[in-house]
């Protein structure tokens, strides 16, 4: 049965060109956010050489520093979005993260770069929960999976652009200029959001529960289905963080590729397939919901297991072409899962806690995994290299496939719990 909040929100649903402009603008938010997040990964070798960093320090810059702030800020910003401030949260977040990205081009030490990446994380922490809440307010239920898939498409598309443009910039204009350019574009994006994204709508102010984000989050985690989704999100962080942070350095060191070559070959292929994955994931999720499928989370779980075995094989391939080809399924599986994970989270959380459910899942996927996995991979790499064990990154990156298999197991359990929610 539809509740009062859902009836009220029906009047706020966007149609025609307004819906297209709204979704396009939010897609750009997702793209730019991912580009700014991914730039240090493709520029890692240049930054490492210029600032004299170790792999462990590189893991802290790209993982720990970003993830800690991102996760701590995500939940309060999500709760503000649920209570009616989603558009303001989104605009402020864009301004913060783009300014911090631009200032990273001035970094002259490890400490300054860490502090600036913390600033980027603070800005990006609220963008996805706020965007998801606005989608929930402005897009009807039957199209919502595809809308979330379209927004999530910004991750592979941003990854592709970040790798391709960042790789070119690193080889031709330098890593500092790459950060300056990325920051300048983000300020234009903030203006676009102010012009083309409507506010939450009246229903957001009247239906949100009065609990603070800690109390509301605890209530949500007490639901078994959401708890297992949260566990899967944590394991996904362990699987995906090393993949994003160290794939480019691995390909550069192992096969002698340049940053531009990695950006164009690896970034382009995985980006295009990632785009297809998010769109397919959103479409299949909507279809599963319409059919009341008992195997809602089965497809992404199976795909992640297949991708894990491909990634292991990729790390031991003798040529770059085979390595890149076998790394691509990992990105595809992560992207395919996104509409399922967020859509299932919305389903379990209910109409009044959509942004909070997104914030909690982002909290899970962005805290322990991105904080610890890159540092652990970097430590294993440094240790293995010092011990003359060959390519240290190869051994460190095995953490990702192991976490992928565990993530799939959590998804299977969450699927059963959703059936009895």
């Amino acid at each position: 049965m539809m509740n009062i909040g859902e009836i009220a929100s029906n009047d706020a649903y966007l149609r025609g060109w307004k819906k297209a402009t709204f979704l396009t603008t939010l897609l750009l938010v997702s793209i730019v956010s991912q580009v700014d997040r991914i730039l240090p990964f493709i520029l890692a070798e240049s930054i490492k050489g210029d600032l004299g960093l170790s792999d462990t320090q590189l893991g802290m810059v790209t993982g720990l520093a970003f993830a800690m702030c991102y996760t701590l800020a995500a939940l309060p910003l999500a709760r503000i979005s649920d209570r009616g401030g989603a558009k303001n949260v989104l605009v402020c977040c864009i301004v913060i993260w783009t300014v911090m990205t631009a200032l990273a081009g001035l970094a002259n030490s490890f400490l300054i770069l860490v502090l600036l990446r913390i600033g980027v994380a603070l800005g990006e922490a609220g963008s996805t929960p706020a965007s998801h809440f606005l989608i929930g307010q402005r897009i009807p239920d039957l199209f919502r999976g595809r809308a979330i898939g379209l927004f999530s498409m910004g991750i592979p598309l941003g990854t592709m652009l970040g790798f391709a443009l960042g790789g070119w910039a690193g080889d031709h204009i330098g890593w500092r200029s790459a950060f300056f350019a990325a920051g300048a574009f983000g300020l234009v994006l903030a203006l676009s959001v102010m012009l083309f994204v409507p506010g939450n709508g009246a229903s957001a102010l009247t239906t949100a529960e009065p609990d603070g984000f800690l109390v509301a989050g605890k209530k949500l985690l007490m639901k078994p289905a959401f708890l297992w989704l949260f566990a899967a999100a944590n394991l996904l962080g362990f699987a995906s963080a090393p993949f994003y942070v160290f794939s480019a350095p691995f390909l550069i060191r192992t096969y002698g590729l340049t940053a531009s070559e990695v950006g164009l070959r690896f970034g382009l292929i995985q980006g295009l397939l990632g785009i297809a994955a998010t769109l397919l994931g959103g479409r299949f999720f909507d279809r599963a919901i319409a059919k009341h499928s008992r195997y809602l989370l089965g497809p992404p779980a199976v795909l992640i297991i297949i991708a894990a075995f491909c990634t292991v094989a990729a790390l031991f391939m003798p040529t770059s072409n085979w390595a890149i080809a076998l790394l691509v399924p990992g990105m595809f599986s992560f992207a395919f899962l996104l509409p399922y994970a967020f859509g299932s989270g919305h389903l379990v959380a209910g109409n009044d806690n959509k942004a909070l459910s997104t914030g909690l899942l982002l909290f899970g996927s962005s805290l322990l995994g991105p904080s610890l996995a890159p540092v652990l991979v970097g430590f294993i790499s440094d240790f293995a290299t010092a011990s003359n064990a060959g390519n240290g990154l190869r051994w460190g990156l095995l953490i990702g496939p192991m976490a992928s298999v565990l993530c799939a197991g959590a998804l299977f359990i969450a699927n059963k719990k959703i059936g009895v929610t």
Side-chain angles (χ1 to χ4, degrees):
M1 180 178 295
M2 188 175 293
N3 63 32
I4 296 174
E6 290 172 323
I7 294 171
S9 65
N10 283 341
D11 295 333
Y13 290 156
L14 298 176
R15 295 172 177 82
W17 69 269
K18 289 185 178 181
K19 182 173 76 172
T21 304
F22 169 74
L23 291 175
T24 300
T25 303
L26 291 184
L27 172 60
L28 289 174
V29 170
S30 182
I31 291 171
V32 175
S33 172
Q34 187 66 11
V35 168
D36 290 355
R37 186 181 303 188
I38 212 77
L39 274 180
F41 305 165
I42 187 64
L43 299 172
E45 291 297 282
S46 298
I47 295 172
K48 179 183 177 182
D50 195 7
L51 300 183
L53 306 181
S54 67
D55 278 344
T56 303
Q57 288 177 310
L58 200 61
M60 293 181 69
V61 169
T62 55
L64 182 62
F66 187 96
M68 289 296 291
C69 183
Y70 186 95
T71 51
L72 292 175
L75 290 182
L77 290 173
R79 202 57 181 159
I80 294 172
S81 298
D82 275 331
R83 290 183 170 182
K87 181 175 180 179
N88 290 334
V89 167
L90 186 56
V91 172
C92 291
C93 285
I94 293 171
V95 172
I96 291 171
W97 99 57
T98 52
V99 169
M100 293 296 113
T101 296
L103 290 176
L106 301 175
N108 58 6
S109 70
F110 167 71
L111 178 59
I112 292 176
L113 188 58
V114 165
L115 292 175
L116 289 171
R117 290 304 293 173
I118 288 174
V120 174
L122 176 62
E124 293 195 1
S127 64
T128 299
S131 298
H132 278 199
F133 184 85
L134 290 167
I135 289 172
Q137 287 290 305
R138 300 295 181 175
I139 303 299
D141 291 347
L142 292 179
F143 189 76
R144 198 162 295 157
R146 278 163 284 180
I148 293 175
L150 181 65
F151 177 79
S152 300
M153 189 176 73
I155 295 178
L157 185 53
T159 299
M160 179 178 68
L161 292 175
F163 271 112
L165 297 178
W168 179 89
D171 288 340
H172 293 86
I173 64 176
W175 65 271
R176 297 183 185 275
S177 296
F179 282 124
F180 294 149
F185 185 80
L187 295 177
V188 178
L189 178 64
L191 179 60
S192 299
V193 171
M194 294 175 65
L195 293 175
F196 300 118
V197 174
N200 295 41
S203 63
L205 298 173
T206 58
T207 64
E209 295 181 1
D211 296 331
F213 70 89
L214 291 177
V215 175
K218 182 180 178 180
K219 289 181 178 179
L220 194 50
L221 286 169
M222 289 176 67
K223 297 182 177 182
F226 195 87
L227 181 61
W228 280 103
L229 282 172
F230 184 73
N234 276 274
L235 291 166
L236 179 65
F238 272 97
S240 61
F243 182 92
Y244 286 118
V245 172
F246 284 111
S247 287
F250 172 77
L251 292 170
I252 290 171
R253 297 181 199 178
T254 306
Y255 304 105
L257 302 178
T258 66
S260 295
E261 288 173 330
V262 172
L264 289 174
R265 293 167 62 184
F266 179 59
L268 182 62
I269 293 172
Q270 73 163 356
L272 291 175
L273 289 180
I275 291 168
T278 52
L279 294 177
L280 287 172
R283 181 64 177 174
F284 289 169
F285 177 80
D286 282 342
R287 186 175 298 174
I289 290 294
K291 293 181 178 180
H292 304 285
S293 174
R294 295 174 55 191
Y295 305 102
L296 184 63
L297 294 171
V302 171
L303 192 58
I304 284 178
I305 292 174
I306 294 172
F309 286 100
C310 290
T311 300
V312 172
L315 297 176
F316 295 91
M317 284 295 106
T319 65
S320 62
N321 288 336
W322 274 108
I324 290 173
L326 289 169
L327 283 173
V328 166
M331 175 64 182
F332 187 93
S333 68
F334 302 148
F336 187 82
L337 173 59
L338 292 175
Y340 279 88
F342 289 126
S344 298
H346 291 183
L347 182 68
V348 175
N351 191 58
D352 300 333
N353 289 304
K354 289 185 174 68
L356 182 63
S357 71
T358 296
L360 277 171
L361 292 176
L362 287 174
F363 182 91
S365 64
S366 303
L367 181 58
L368 294 179
S371 295
L372 300 179
V375 177
L376 185 57
V377 170
F379 175 79
I380 294 172
S381 175
D382 289 336
F383 180 81
T385 301
S387 303
N388 297 317
N391 190 332
L393 274 181
R394 172 177 291 134
W395 305 111
L397 283 169
L398 289 173
I399 291 172
M402 290 187 290
S404 290
V405 174
L406 294 175
C407 175
L411 288 173
F412 282 125
I413 297 175
N415 183 81
K416 293 183 179 180
K417 299 299 181 180
I418 289 175
V420 296
T421 298

